[in-house]
Amino acid sequence: MITANLAARATAIVLLALATFANVGAARAATIVIVNQNAAGVGFNDPTPAAPVGGNPGTTLGEQRLNAFQRAADIWGATLTSDVPIRIGASFVPLACDATGAVLGSAGANEIWSDFPNAPRANTWYPAALASKLLGLDVSAPTVPHIIARFNSRLGLFPDCVPGLTFYLGFDNNAGDGIDLVTTLLHEIAHGLGFQTFTDDETGARILDIPSIWDHYLIDNRTERLWVQMTDAERVASAIAWRGLSWNGANVTAAVPAALGPASVLSISGPNAGGAAGAYAVGDATFGTPVSGSAVSGQLMPVVDQSNGTGLACTALNATNARAVRGNIALVDRGSCDFVVKARNVQAAGAIGMVLADVVPGEVAGLPGTDPAITITSVRITQADGQTLKTALQQRSRTRSGVVARLASDASRLAGADAQRRMLMYTPSVNAPGSSVSHYTTEARPNQLMEPAINDDLPHVVTPPRDLTYPLLRDIGW
Protein backbone atom coordinates (compact mmCIF):
# COMPACT_ATOMS: atom_id res chain seq x y z
CA MET A 1 0.00 0.00 0.00
CA ILE A 2 1.29 3.46 -0.92
CA THR A 3 0.34 6.85 0.46
CA ALA A 4 1.33 10.40 -0.35
CA ASN A 5 0.76 13.50 1.74
CA LEU A 6 -0.73 16.17 -0.49
CA ALA A 7 -0.79 19.00 2.03
CA ALA A 8 2.99 18.99 2.16
CA ARG A 9 3.32 17.75 -1.44
CA ALA A 10 5.76 15.16 -0.12
CA THR A 11 7.21 12.61 -2.50
CA ALA A 12 8.11 10.07 0.14
CA ILE A 13 6.44 6.67 0.06
CA VAL A 14 5.11 5.15 3.26
CA LEU A 15 4.68 1.37 3.29
CA LEU A 16 2.20 -0.06 5.79
CA ALA A 17 1.46 -3.61 6.85
CA LEU A 18 -1.65 -4.80 5.07
CA ALA A 19 -2.56 -7.22 7.83
CA THR A 20 -3.54 -4.38 10.16
CA PHE A 21 -6.65 -3.57 8.12
CA ALA A 22 -9.98 -5.32 7.92
CA ASN A 23 -13.43 -4.64 6.58
CA VAL A 24 -15.70 -4.00 9.54
CA GLY A 25 -19.11 -4.45 7.96
CA ALA A 26 -21.84 -2.69 6.06
CA ALA A 27 -21.55 1.05 5.50
CA ARG A 28 -23.97 3.58 6.95
CA ALA A 29 -24.54 7.34 6.74
CA ALA A 30 -21.24 9.12 7.19
CA THR A 31 -20.13 11.15 10.19
CA ILE A 32 -18.09 14.24 9.32
CA VAL A 33 -16.09 15.86 12.08
CA ILE A 34 -14.87 19.46 11.80
CA VAL A 35 -11.47 19.73 13.48
CA ASN A 36 -10.99 23.35 14.56
CA GLN A 37 -7.38 24.23 13.72
CA ASN A 38 -7.60 27.89 14.71
CA ALA A 39 -5.78 29.39 17.67
CA ALA A 40 -7.64 31.21 20.43
CA GLY A 41 -9.29 34.47 19.43
CA VAL A 42 -9.17 34.02 15.66
CA GLY A 43 -11.05 32.17 12.92
CA PHE A 44 -13.57 29.81 14.48
CA ASN A 45 -12.68 31.31 17.85
CA ASP A 46 -13.18 34.95 16.83
CA PRO A 47 -15.20 36.54 19.67
CA THR A 48 -16.62 39.40 17.58
CA PRO A 49 -20.34 39.62 18.48
CA ALA A 50 -22.75 38.62 15.71
CA ALA A 51 -26.53 38.55 15.52
CA PRO A 52 -28.06 35.18 14.54
CA VAL A 53 -28.76 35.11 10.81
CA GLY A 54 -30.71 32.87 8.44
CA GLY A 55 -31.14 30.04 10.94
CA ASN A 56 -27.54 30.18 12.16
CA PRO A 57 -27.92 30.65 15.94
CA GLY A 58 -24.30 31.63 16.65
CA THR A 59 -23.74 34.82 18.62
CA THR A 60 -20.10 35.39 17.64
CA LEU A 61 -18.42 35.51 14.23
CA GLY A 62 -16.33 32.46 15.07
CA GLU A 63 -19.31 30.43 16.27
CA GLN A 64 -21.31 31.25 13.14
CA ARG A 65 -18.40 30.21 10.93
CA LEU A 66 -18.15 26.88 12.72
CA ASN A 67 -21.92 26.38 12.54
CA ALA A 68 -21.85 26.94 8.78
CA PHE A 69 -19.06 24.37 8.42
CA GLN A 70 -21.07 21.87 10.42
CA ARG A 71 -24.19 22.58 8.37
CA ALA A 72 -22.34 21.71 5.15
CA ALA A 73 -20.77 18.68 6.82
CA ASP A 74 -24.19 17.45 7.92
CA ILE A 75 -25.57 17.72 4.38
CA TRP A 76 -22.69 15.65 3.03
CA GLY A 77 -22.86 13.26 5.98
CA ALA A 78 -26.52 12.52 5.29
CA THR A 79 -25.69 11.86 1.61
CA LEU A 80 -22.61 9.66 1.89
CA THR A 81 -22.16 6.23 3.44
CA SER A 82 -19.07 5.23 5.42
CA ASP A 83 -18.24 3.39 8.62
CA VAL A 84 -15.22 5.63 9.14
CA PRO A 85 -15.72 9.19 10.45
CA ILE A 86 -14.37 11.79 8.01
CA ARG A 87 -12.16 14.44 9.60
CA ILE A 88 -11.88 17.92 8.07
CA GLY A 89 -9.02 20.02 9.40
CA ALA A 90 -10.57 23.47 9.02
CA SER A 91 -9.59 27.04 9.73
CA PHE A 92 -10.21 30.65 8.82
CA VAL A 93 -6.88 32.33 8.16
CA PRO A 94 -5.63 35.42 6.26
CA LEU A 95 -5.37 34.57 2.55
CA ALA A 96 -4.26 36.63 -0.43
CA CYS A 97 -6.52 39.58 -1.23
CA ASP A 98 -6.62 43.23 -2.23
CA ALA A 99 -9.30 45.87 -2.64
CA THR A 100 -10.74 44.25 -5.77
CA GLY A 101 -10.10 40.51 -5.49
CA ALA A 102 -9.44 37.74 -3.01
CA VAL A 103 -8.79 34.05 -2.55
CA LEU A 104 -11.97 32.83 -0.86
CA GLY A 105 -10.55 29.52 0.28
CA SER A 106 -9.63 26.02 -0.77
CA ALA A 107 -9.95 22.41 0.28
CA GLY A 108 -8.68 19.06 -0.84
CA ALA A 109 -7.57 15.62 0.19
CA ASN A 110 -4.77 15.66 2.75
CA GLU A 111 -3.45 12.23 1.76
CA ILE A 112 -3.91 9.86 -1.15
CA TRP A 113 -3.63 6.08 -1.01
CA SER A 114 -3.03 3.27 -3.48
CA ASP A 115 -3.24 -0.55 -3.33
CA PHE A 116 -4.95 -0.83 0.04
CA PRO A 117 -7.15 -3.90 0.76
CA ASN A 118 -10.52 -3.70 -1.01
CA ALA A 119 -9.26 -1.04 -3.43
CA PRO A 120 -11.52 -1.42 -6.49
CA ARG A 121 -8.63 -0.56 -8.81
CA ALA A 122 -4.99 -1.48 -8.33
CA ASN A 123 -2.19 1.04 -8.86
CA THR A 124 -4.64 3.95 -8.49
CA TRP A 125 -4.69 6.94 -6.13
CA TYR A 126 -7.74 7.37 -3.88
CA PRO A 127 -8.30 10.29 -1.45
CA ALA A 128 -7.92 9.28 2.19
CA ALA A 129 -11.62 9.62 3.10
CA LEU A 130 -12.68 7.38 0.22
CA ALA A 131 -9.87 4.88 0.83
CA SER A 132 -11.03 4.61 4.44
CA LYS A 133 -14.63 4.06 3.39
CA LEU A 134 -13.64 1.33 0.91
CA LEU A 135 -11.31 -0.36 3.39
CA GLY A 136 -13.76 -0.13 6.29
CA LEU A 137 -11.01 1.18 8.59
CA ASP A 138 -9.22 4.50 8.85
CA VAL A 139 -6.14 4.59 6.62
CA SER A 140 -4.91 7.79 8.31
CA ALA A 141 -3.56 8.26 11.81
CA PRO A 142 -6.26 9.34 14.32
CA THR A 143 -4.86 12.87 14.55
CA VAL A 144 -4.48 13.35 10.79
CA PRO A 145 -7.39 14.99 8.90
CA HIS A 146 -8.60 13.36 5.71
CA ILE A 147 -9.42 16.78 4.24
CA ILE A 148 -7.78 20.17 4.77
CA ALA A 149 -9.91 23.32 4.33
CA ARG A 150 -8.72 26.93 4.59
CA PHE A 151 -10.91 30.03 4.17
CA ASN A 152 -10.18 33.74 4.11
CA SER A 153 -10.71 35.30 7.53
CA ARG A 154 -10.21 38.87 6.22
CA LEU A 155 -12.71 38.83 3.34
CA GLY A 156 -14.77 42.02 3.35
CA LEU A 157 -13.71 42.95 6.85
CA PHE A 158 -10.72 45.12 5.96
CA PRO A 159 -10.27 47.92 3.39
CA ASP A 160 -7.52 45.99 1.60
CA CYS A 161 -9.61 42.81 1.18
CA VAL A 162 -12.66 43.51 -1.04
CA PRO A 163 -14.46 45.68 1.51
CA GLY A 164 -18.15 44.91 1.78
CA LEU A 165 -17.98 41.49 0.11
CA THR A 166 -18.44 39.06 2.98
CA PHE A 167 -19.38 35.45 3.53
CA TYR A 168 -23.07 35.01 4.25
CA LEU A 169 -23.27 32.68 7.24
CA GLY A 170 -26.97 31.85 7.25
CA PHE A 171 -28.48 28.47 6.40
CA ASP A 172 -31.44 29.77 4.36
CA ASN A 173 -29.81 30.24 0.93
CA ASN A 174 -30.50 33.97 1.12
CA ALA A 175 -27.01 35.37 0.55
CA GLY A 176 -28.08 38.38 -1.51
CA ASP A 177 -24.90 40.24 -2.47
CA GLY A 178 -22.79 38.09 -0.14
CA ILE A 179 -21.03 34.79 -0.79
CA ASP A 180 -23.01 31.87 0.58
CA LEU A 181 -20.54 30.06 2.84
CA VAL A 182 -22.57 26.84 3.12
CA THR A 183 -22.68 26.54 -0.68
CA THR A 184 -18.97 27.27 -0.91
CA LEU A 185 -18.25 24.64 1.73
CA LEU A 186 -20.35 22.00 -0.01
CA HIS A 187 -18.23 22.64 -3.11
CA GLU A 188 -14.89 22.52 -1.31
CA ILE A 189 -15.73 19.47 0.80
CA ALA A 190 -16.59 17.65 -2.44
CA HIS A 191 -13.05 18.32 -3.65
CA GLY A 192 -11.69 16.78 -0.48
CA LEU A 193 -13.91 13.75 -0.92
CA GLY A 194 -12.40 13.11 -4.33
CA PHE A 195 -13.87 15.57 -6.82
CA GLN A 196 -10.40 16.27 -8.21
CA THR A 197 -7.56 14.69 -10.11
CA PHE A 198 -4.16 14.26 -8.52
CA THR A 199 -2.58 14.25 -11.96
CA ASP A 200 -0.99 17.58 -12.94
CA ASP A 201 -3.32 19.08 -15.55
CA GLU A 202 -0.59 21.52 -16.70
CA THR A 203 2.08 18.88 -17.37
CA GLY A 204 0.06 15.66 -17.54
CA ALA A 205 2.44 14.09 -15.01
CA ARG A 206 1.12 11.62 -12.44
CA ILE A 207 2.34 11.34 -8.85
CA LEU A 208 4.80 8.43 -8.80
CA ASP A 209 3.39 7.64 -12.27
CA ILE A 210 0.19 6.37 -10.63
CA PRO A 211 -3.16 7.60 -12.03
CA SER A 212 -5.96 9.04 -9.91
CA ILE A 213 -9.27 7.21 -9.68
CA TRP A 214 -10.59 10.38 -11.37
CA ASP A 215 -8.45 9.66 -14.45
CA HIS A 216 -10.27 6.38 -15.12
CA TYR A 217 -13.44 8.36 -15.96
CA LEU A 218 -12.09 11.35 -17.89
CA ILE A 219 -12.54 10.76 -21.61
CA ASP A 220 -11.48 12.82 -24.59
CA ASN A 221 -14.76 12.90 -26.51
CA ARG A 222 -12.93 13.52 -29.82
CA THR A 223 -10.81 10.37 -29.63
CA GLU A 224 -12.80 8.34 -27.05
CA ARG A 225 -9.60 7.72 -25.09
CA LEU A 226 -9.46 7.84 -21.29
CA TRP A 227 -6.85 9.83 -19.39
CA VAL A 228 -5.34 6.60 -18.07
CA GLN A 229 -4.67 5.58 -21.68
CA MET A 230 -2.94 8.81 -22.67
CA THR A 231 0.60 10.12 -22.58
CA ASP A 232 1.45 13.19 -20.52
CA ALA A 233 1.36 15.34 -23.65
CA GLU A 234 -2.04 13.98 -24.68
CA ARG A 235 -3.47 14.75 -21.24
CA VAL A 236 -2.14 18.31 -21.48
CA ALA A 237 -3.80 18.74 -24.87
CA SER A 238 -7.16 17.42 -23.69
CA ALA A 239 -7.07 19.65 -20.59
CA ILE A 240 -7.20 22.74 -22.82
CA ALA A 241 -9.62 21.42 -25.44
CA TRP A 242 -12.83 23.39 -25.05
CA ARG A 243 -15.75 20.95 -24.92
CA GLY A 244 -13.28 18.16 -25.56
CA LEU A 245 -13.22 16.38 -22.19
CA SER A 246 -16.18 14.53 -20.69
CA TRP A 247 -17.00 12.45 -17.61
CA ASN A 248 -17.52 8.81 -18.57
CA GLY A 249 -19.06 7.53 -15.34
CA ALA A 250 -22.32 5.58 -15.40
CA ASN A 251 -23.95 7.37 -12.45
CA VAL A 252 -23.38 10.87 -13.80
CA THR A 253 -24.41 9.93 -17.33
CA ALA A 254 -27.63 8.34 -16.07
CA ALA A 255 -28.51 11.49 -14.11
CA VAL A 256 -27.61 14.04 -16.83
CA PRO A 257 -30.93 14.02 -18.79
CA ALA A 258 -32.99 14.91 -15.72
CA ALA A 259 -30.46 17.39 -14.32
CA LEU A 260 -29.59 19.48 -17.39
CA GLY A 261 -31.90 21.60 -19.46
CA PRO A 262 -31.79 22.20 -23.22
CA ALA A 263 -28.86 24.25 -24.47
CA SER A 264 -29.34 27.92 -25.27
CA VAL A 265 -28.43 29.05 -28.79
CA LEU A 266 -28.08 32.40 -30.51
CA SER A 267 -29.10 32.06 -34.16
CA ILE A 268 -28.13 34.80 -36.60
CA SER A 269 -29.89 35.32 -39.92
CA GLY A 270 -31.24 38.13 -42.07
CA PRO A 271 -30.38 39.83 -45.37
CA ASN A 272 -27.26 41.55 -44.00
CA ALA A 273 -25.96 38.66 -41.89
CA GLY A 274 -23.57 37.43 -44.57
CA GLY A 275 -20.81 35.28 -43.15
CA ALA A 276 -22.09 35.87 -39.63
CA ALA A 277 -25.18 33.75 -40.25
CA GLY A 278 -25.36 30.60 -38.16
CA ALA A 279 -25.68 29.31 -34.60
CA TYR A 280 -23.56 30.59 -31.71
CA ALA A 281 -22.82 29.08 -28.30
CA VAL A 282 -23.91 31.32 -25.44
CA GLY A 283 -23.62 31.59 -21.70
CA ASP A 284 -26.88 32.07 -19.80
CA ALA A 285 -27.69 34.81 -17.32
CA THR A 286 -28.86 34.12 -13.79
CA PHE A 287 -31.11 37.19 -14.00
CA GLY A 288 -34.02 38.11 -16.24
CA THR A 289 -36.15 35.71 -18.29
CA PRO A 290 -34.21 32.55 -19.14
CA VAL A 291 -33.74 31.40 -22.70
CA SER A 292 -36.52 28.92 -23.45
CA GLY A 293 -38.41 27.21 -26.24
CA SER A 294 -40.31 30.47 -26.77
CA ALA A 295 -37.85 32.36 -28.92
CA VAL A 296 -36.91 36.02 -28.44
CA SER A 297 -36.21 37.42 -31.90
CA GLY A 298 -35.39 40.86 -33.26
CA GLN A 299 -32.94 43.06 -35.10
CA LEU A 300 -29.51 42.96 -33.47
CA MET A 301 -28.37 46.53 -32.79
CA PRO A 302 -25.09 47.58 -31.17
CA VAL A 303 -24.81 50.08 -28.33
CA VAL A 304 -22.02 52.56 -29.12
CA ASP A 305 -21.16 54.85 -26.21
CA GLN A 306 -17.36 54.86 -26.18
CA SER A 307 -14.93 56.75 -28.37
CA ASN A 308 -13.40 53.50 -29.63
CA GLY A 309 -16.74 52.29 -30.98
CA THR A 310 -17.61 49.89 -28.17
CA GLY A 311 -20.73 50.01 -26.05
CA LEU A 312 -20.58 49.44 -22.29
CA ALA A 313 -24.15 50.48 -21.37
CA CYS A 314 -23.01 51.31 -17.85
CA THR A 315 -25.14 54.46 -17.76
CA ALA A 316 -28.57 55.31 -19.11
CA LEU A 317 -28.50 55.10 -22.90
CA ASN A 318 -28.51 58.37 -24.82
CA ALA A 319 -31.28 59.14 -27.29
CA THR A 320 -29.42 57.67 -30.29
CA ASN A 321 -28.66 54.34 -28.59
CA ALA A 322 -32.12 54.14 -27.04
CA ARG A 323 -33.70 54.60 -30.46
CA ALA A 324 -31.43 51.90 -31.91
CA VAL A 325 -32.22 49.21 -29.33
CA ARG A 326 -35.93 49.95 -28.76
CA GLY A 327 -37.84 46.82 -29.72
CA ASN A 328 -34.58 45.16 -30.77
CA ILE A 329 -31.88 43.01 -29.20
CA ALA A 330 -28.95 45.06 -27.90
CA LEU A 331 -25.32 44.05 -28.46
CA VAL A 332 -23.10 45.42 -25.69
CA ASP A 333 -19.51 44.90 -24.55
CA ARG A 334 -18.27 43.49 -21.28
CA GLY A 335 -16.45 45.81 -18.90
CA SER A 336 -16.59 48.69 -16.38
CA CYS A 337 -19.81 47.69 -14.59
CA ASP A 338 -21.85 44.68 -13.50
CA PHE A 339 -23.79 42.62 -16.00
CA VAL A 340 -27.08 43.48 -14.29
CA VAL A 341 -26.36 47.21 -14.72
CA LYS A 342 -25.96 46.75 -18.48
CA ALA A 343 -29.13 44.68 -18.74
CA ARG A 344 -31.06 47.16 -16.63
CA ASN A 345 -29.99 50.07 -18.84
CA VAL A 346 -30.80 48.47 -22.18
CA GLN A 347 -34.12 47.22 -20.80
CA ALA A 348 -34.98 50.74 -19.66
CA ALA A 349 -34.25 51.93 -23.21
CA GLY A 350 -36.76 49.42 -24.60
CA ALA A 351 -34.54 46.51 -25.70
CA ILE A 352 -36.20 43.08 -25.73
CA GLY A 353 -32.93 41.21 -25.12
CA MET A 354 -29.21 41.65 -24.59
CA VAL A 355 -26.23 39.90 -26.13
CA LEU A 356 -23.01 40.67 -24.26
CA ALA A 357 -19.71 40.20 -26.10
CA ASP A 358 -16.63 39.30 -24.09
CA VAL A 359 -13.55 41.53 -24.42
CA VAL A 360 -10.87 38.91 -23.80
CA PRO A 361 -10.23 35.63 -25.64
CA GLY A 362 -11.77 32.52 -24.18
CA GLU A 363 -14.79 30.26 -24.17
CA VAL A 364 -18.39 31.12 -23.40
CA ALA A 365 -19.25 31.80 -19.79
CA GLY A 366 -22.40 32.75 -17.95
CA LEU A 367 -23.69 36.09 -16.71
CA PRO A 368 -23.92 35.99 -12.92
CA GLY A 369 -25.96 38.50 -10.99
CA THR A 370 -29.34 39.10 -9.39
CA ASP A 371 -31.95 41.76 -10.08
CA PRO A 372 -35.65 40.83 -9.99
CA ALA A 373 -36.49 44.02 -11.91
CA ILE A 374 -34.79 42.69 -15.04
CA THR A 375 -37.23 40.82 -17.27
CA ILE A 376 -35.43 40.70 -20.65
CA THR A 377 -33.38 37.70 -21.78
CA SER A 378 -29.60 38.09 -21.72
CA VAL A 379 -26.75 35.90 -22.95
CA ARG A 380 -22.98 36.11 -23.31
CA ILE A 381 -20.83 35.27 -26.34
CA THR A 382 -17.09 35.03 -26.92
CA GLN A 383 -14.89 37.91 -27.99
CA ALA A 384 -14.34 36.27 -31.38
CA ASP A 385 -18.06 35.80 -31.99
CA GLY A 386 -18.70 39.36 -30.88
CA GLN A 387 -16.26 40.67 -33.44
CA THR A 388 -17.91 38.59 -36.16
CA LEU A 389 -21.29 40.12 -35.32
CA LYS A 390 -19.91 43.66 -35.14
CA THR A 391 -18.47 43.26 -38.62
CA ALA A 392 -21.89 42.26 -39.94
CA LEU A 393 -23.47 45.27 -38.20
CA GLN A 394 -21.29 47.90 -39.84
CA GLN A 395 -23.93 48.64 -42.49
CA ARG A 396 -27.16 49.57 -40.70
CA SER A 397 -29.74 52.29 -40.30
CA ARG A 398 -30.55 53.99 -37.02
CA THR A 399 -33.17 51.40 -36.10
CA ARG A 400 -32.52 48.36 -38.32
CA SER A 401 -29.47 46.29 -39.11
CA GLY A 402 -30.77 43.55 -41.35
CA VAL A 403 -29.10 41.12 -38.92
CA VAL A 404 -31.71 39.13 -37.02
CA ALA A 405 -30.88 37.56 -33.67
CA ARG A 406 -32.94 34.72 -32.25
CA LEU A 407 -32.49 33.44 -28.71
CA ALA A 408 -34.02 30.03 -28.04
CA SER A 409 -33.28 26.69 -26.44
CA ASP A 410 -32.33 23.66 -28.51
CA ALA A 411 -34.14 20.57 -27.21
CA SER A 412 -31.80 18.28 -29.14
CA ARG A 413 -28.78 19.28 -27.05
CA LEU A 414 -28.33 19.44 -23.27
CA ALA A 415 -26.57 22.45 -21.78
CA GLY A 416 -23.25 21.16 -20.45
CA ALA A 417 -23.27 17.73 -22.09
CA ASP A 418 -21.46 16.33 -25.13
CA ALA A 419 -23.13 14.72 -28.14
CA GLN A 420 -23.37 11.41 -26.21
CA ARG A 421 -25.02 13.26 -23.29
CA ARG A 422 -22.02 12.83 -21.04
CA MET A 423 -21.19 15.70 -18.69
CA LEU A 424 -18.55 18.08 -20.01
CA MET A 425 -15.63 19.08 -17.81
CA TYR A 426 -14.09 22.55 -17.44
CA THR A 427 -11.29 22.80 -19.99
CA PRO A 428 -10.61 26.44 -20.94
CA SER A 429 -8.11 26.92 -23.76
CA VAL A 430 -5.77 28.65 -21.33
CA ASN A 431 -5.10 26.30 -18.42
CA ALA A 432 -6.49 27.53 -15.11
CA PRO A 433 -4.48 25.81 -12.34
CA GLY A 434 -6.75 24.51 -9.61
CA SER A 435 -9.82 24.87 -11.82
CA SER A 436 -9.19 23.08 -15.12
CA VAL A 437 -10.28 19.43 -15.35
CA SER A 438 -11.37 19.14 -11.69
CA HIS A 439 -14.68 20.96 -12.25
CA TYR A 440 -17.75 20.68 -14.41
CA THR A 441 -18.17 22.97 -17.41
CA THR A 442 -19.52 26.48 -16.90
CA GLU A 443 -22.03 25.78 -19.70
CA ALA A 444 -24.23 23.59 -17.50
CA ARG A 445 -27.81 24.74 -17.14
CA PRO A 446 -29.00 24.94 -14.47
CA ASN A 447 -25.70 25.87 -12.84
CA GLN A 448 -24.00 23.05 -11.00
CA LEU A 449 -22.30 23.15 -7.60
CA MET A 450 -19.00 21.90 -9.00
CA GLU A 451 -18.45 24.56 -11.62
CA PRO A 452 -15.26 26.59 -11.03
CA ALA A 453 -17.22 29.54 -9.61
CA ILE A 454 -19.98 29.70 -7.01
CA ASN A 455 -23.10 30.96 -8.78
CA ASP A 456 -25.86 32.93 -7.11
CA ASP A 457 -28.63 30.45 -7.91
CA LEU A 458 -27.23 27.33 -6.23
CA PRO A 459 -29.37 25.63 -3.57
CA HIS A 460 -27.82 23.63 -0.73
CA VAL A 461 -28.26 20.45 -2.76
CA VAL A 462 -25.68 17.89 -3.94
CA THR A 463 -27.94 15.21 -5.48
CA PRO A 464 -30.06 14.74 -8.62
CA PRO A 465 -32.20 15.88 -10.18
CA ARG A 466 -30.87 19.34 -9.25
CA ASP A 467 -27.18 18.60 -8.90
CA LEU A 468 -24.64 16.13 -10.30
CA THR A 469 -21.98 16.23 -7.58
CA TYR A 470 -22.93 13.09 -5.70
CA PRO A 471 -23.32 10.92 -8.82
CA LEU A 472 -19.70 11.64 -9.70
CA LEU A 473 -18.56 10.70 -6.21
CA ARG A 474 -20.55 7.47 -6.57
CA ASP A 475 -18.73 6.78 -9.84
CA ILE A 476 -15.35 6.94 -8.11
CA GLY A 477 -16.45 4.70 -5.23
CA TRP A 478 -18.64 6.58 -2.77
Side-chain angles (χ1 to χ4, degrees):
M1 179 164 51
I2 302 173
T3 179
N5 187 300
L6 292 186
R9 301 301 297 177
T11 58
I13 301 174
V14 180
L15 299 179
L16 300 177
L18 303 188
T20 61
F21 298 96
N23 192 311
V24 294
R28 53 183 177 272
T31 298
I32 300 181
V33 179
I34 306 301
V35 181
N36 180 352
Q37 296 187 323
N38 277 129
V42 298
F44 290 126
N45 306 313
D46 190 319
T48 303
V53 59
N56 187 332
T59 56
T60 67
L61 177 58
E63 186 180 8
Q64 287 190 357
R65 287 167 168 169
L66 189 58
N67 288 345
F69 258 78
Q70 193 60 58
R71 179 76 166 195
D74 289 345
I75 292 171
W76 270 121
T79 305
L80 303 171
T81 58
S82 179
D83 285 322
V84 181
I86 301 165
R87 295 182 297 278
I88 302 178
S91 62
F92 269 81
V93 295
L95 298 175
C97 59
D98 57 32
T100 60
V103 175
L104 300 181
S106 64
N110 188 35
E111 296 176 335
I112 54 178
W113 295 76
S114 174
D115 296 301
F116 50 88
N118 296 337
R121 294 182 185 271
N123 195 44
T124 298
W125 291 122
Y126 288 82
L130 178 53
S132 297
K133 172 233 170 49
L134 295 170
L135 177 61
L137 195 68
D138 202 339
V139 297
S140 301
T143 58
V144 175
H146 302 108
I147 298 170
I148 294 293
R150 300 281 184 266
F151 286 84
N152 200 331
S153 61
R154 304 185 74 249
L155 182 70
L157 304 178
F158 297 85
D160 63 344
C161 194
V162 202
L165 181 65
T166 58
F167 284 117
Y168 176 70
L169 304 178
F171 302 161
D172 59 354
N173 237 156
N174 191 27
D177 292 332
I179 298 171
D180 193 290
L181 182 58
V182 173
T183 302
T184 307
L185 291 168
L186 290 171
H187 176 109
E188 294 299 341
I189 290 172
H191 282 314
L193 293 167
F195 204 109
Q196 63 178 136
T197 182
F198 308 119
T199 298
D200 192 317
D201 52 86
E202 288 188 277
T203 68
R206 305 185 296 199
I207 297 175
L208 303 179
D209 200 30
I210 296 174
S212 306
I213 181 59
W214 183 271
D215 302 349
H216 289 272
Y217 296 94
L218 284 180
I219 192 166
D220 189 311
N221 55 52
R222 302 159 304 170
T223 64
E224 293 299 305
R225 296 185 67 210
L226 296 166
W227 258 35
V228 291
Q229 299 169 325
M230 296 182 189
T231 65
D232 290 0
E234 288 171 333
R235 283 189 285 270
V236 170
S238 70
I240 54 173
W242 181 39
R243 291 181 170 174
L245 197 60
S246 303
W247 185 261
N248 198 39
N251 288 289
V252 173
T253 301
V256 158
L260 299 183
S264 300
V265 177
L266 167 64
S267 299
I268 297 295
S269 61
N272 293 342
Y280 293 78
V282 300
D284 292 289
T286 58
F287 51 86
T289 300
V291 176
S292 69
S294 299
V296 176
S297 182
Q299 299 279 316
L300 184 66
M301 293 294 289
V303 171
V304 181
D305 58 15
Q306 303 297 304
S307 59
N308 64 359
T310 60
L312 296 177
C314 288
T315 58
L317 272 59
N318 62 27
T320 300
N321 280 313
R323 182 181 179 187
V325 304
R326 188 175 302 121
N328 295 324
I329 295 176
L331 176 65
V332 304
D333 293 288
R334 180 186 178 187
S336 299
C337 63
D338 291 342
F339 302 131
V340 292
V341 173
K342 297 173 186 288
R344 194 160 53 233
N345 286 330
V346 299
Q347 175 178 286
I352 61 173
M354 181 180 80
V355 175
L356 181 140
D358 223 321
V359 293
V360 294
E363 293 70 44
V364 293
L367 290 172
T370 303
D371 186 343
I374 296 174
T375 58
I376 64 172
T377 299
S378 301
V379 298
R380 182 172 172 178
I381 59 175
T382 66
Q383 181 190 42
D385 288 345
Q387 189 56 54
T388 297
L389 296 181
K390 289 178 183 180
T391 299
L393 292 170
Q394 288 178 350
Q395 301 297 322
R396 64 183 187 277
S397 71
R398 292 184 178 180
T399 58
R400 296 182 67 82
S401 64
V403 177
V404 178
R406 182 178 185 271
L407 293 169
S409 57
D410 180 358
S412 69
R413 184 166 64 87
L414 295 177
D418 66 15
Q420 286 73 45
R421 297 198 161 194
R422 296 172 300 198
M423 189 68 186
L424 289 167
M425 307 308 292
Y426 181 61
T427 53
S429 56
V430 177
N431 186 274
S435 294
S436 291
V437 177
S438 291
H439 291 90
Y440 285 143
T441 177
T442 57
E443 295 183 59
R445 178 184 176 193
N447 288 315
Q448 295 294 300
L449 175 67
M450 296 311 294
E451 294 180 34
I454 299 298
N455 291 290
D456 298 332
D457 58 343
L458 295 173
H460 296 166
V461 174
V462 297
T463 54
R466 178 58 180 84
D467 190 73
L468 295 169
T469 307
Y470 180 54
L472 185 145
L473 294 181
R474 287 189 64 202
D475 280 335
I476 66 172
W478 281 103

